[in-house]
Amino acid sequence: MSHALPEIHLVRHGQTEWSLSGKHTGRSDIPLTQAGEDAARGLAERMRGLTFPIVWSSPSQRAFNTCTLAGFGAGCVKKDDLAEWDYGAYEGLTTKQILAERPGWQLFRDGCPGGETAADAGERAGRIIRQIREIDGAVLIFSSAHFLRVLAARWLGLPPGDGRRFVLDTASISVLGYEHDRTEPVIRRWNQT
């Protein structure tokens, strides 16, 4: 790694039909599109030369297949806490469809009926962060956009709802780390495509 302090690489999965159409994809196990598979393979070149003693993935096929196609599947451990936000009744709906039924709705503020709130996703992110800090080394994580946004907010010590301030494209790479020492968590790079 290029820094003496550990870095945590976050990778959002490649494109799916639902991510392309804007449908909320939480626990539905939607496969990658051909473009998503191609982008996942492209991650191998973009991450050439990086080594990770620890590789974790969401249990979803979109995240794990992205990991595998990027060349990191052999040593990957699936972690339930890395699953995407549980959208409950809003699973498979676009924001436009939700707003037609519930004007003014915002995911990070309002959560989802029958699903998770930002605080729920934040609790899972907190467990992941505690594990990362116990490892005290480089970690590579494959997951989904809304969960990774909450993870970034919690990494910085912000409330889970502040994940709304970050956006992630499919097959993007982001890097969490530290500035001067482990008491100063920072975002080193964000949403690189």
Side-chain angles (χ1 to χ4, degrees):
M1 304 304 303
S2 60
H3 301 277
L5 295 168
E7 291 186 335
I8 296 81
H9 282 66
L10 309 177
V11 179
R12 182 182 175 198
H13 63 77
Q15 179 193 83
T16 68
E17 288 295 334
W18 282 19
S19 67
L20 182 62
S21 66
K23 291 181 179 179
H24 285 82
T25 317
R27 303 304 163 92
S28 297
D29 210 6
I30 307 298
L32 299 172
T33 61
Q34 185 61 55
E37 289 179 1
D38 293 344
R41 284 185 196 93
L43 288 164
E45 179 63 31
R46 293 169 53 204
M47 299 177 79
R48 182 187 305 270
L50 298 176
T51 58
F52 300 94
I54 304 293
V55 180
W56 294 337
S57 174
S58 159
S60 73
Q61 68 172 312
R62 61 191 180 273
F64 184 71
N65 289 348
T66 298
C67 174
T68 300
L69 291 168
F72 296 96
C76 182
V77 173
K78 293 180 183 179
K79 291 200 166 272
D80 290 341
D81 276 342
L82 291 172
E84 177 59 301
W85 198 306
D86 183 348
Y87 299 118
Y90 294 160
E91 181 77 8
L93 300 178
T94 65
T95 298
K96 183 178 179 179
Q97 290 172 314
I98 297 167
L99 290 172
E101 295 178 16
R102 189 172 170 189
W105 173 80
Q106 293 179 14
L107 173 65
F108 287 92
R109 182 190 65 209
D110 303 322
C112 301
E116 288 185 302
T117 63
D120 296 329
E123 284 180 31
R124 292 191 291 114
R127 289 192 295 266
I128 292 294
I129 290 167
R130 284 190 294 279
Q131 291 173 49
I132 289 170
R133 291 195 171 132
E134 287 174 10
I135 292 166
D136 195 32
V139 178
L140 175 59
I141 293 175
F142 291 82
S143 189
S144 298
H146 285 136
F147 179 77
L148 290 175
R149 292 166 65 178
V150 170
L151 181 67
R154 297 302 302 131
W155 179 261
L156 297 174
L158 300 171
D162 279 356
R164 73 184 181 278
R165 301 182 186 282
F166 306 101
V167 294
L168 284 173
D169 295 317
T170 54
S172 62
I173 301 170
S174 300
V175 182
L176 306 178
Y178 303 93
E179 187 166 10
H180 301 103
D181 60 42
R182 287 170 179 79
T183 67
E184 297 181 63
V186 297
I187 294 176
R188 292 200 148 283
R189 291 178 289 290
W190 192 256
N191 198 35
Q192 295 183 316
T193 57

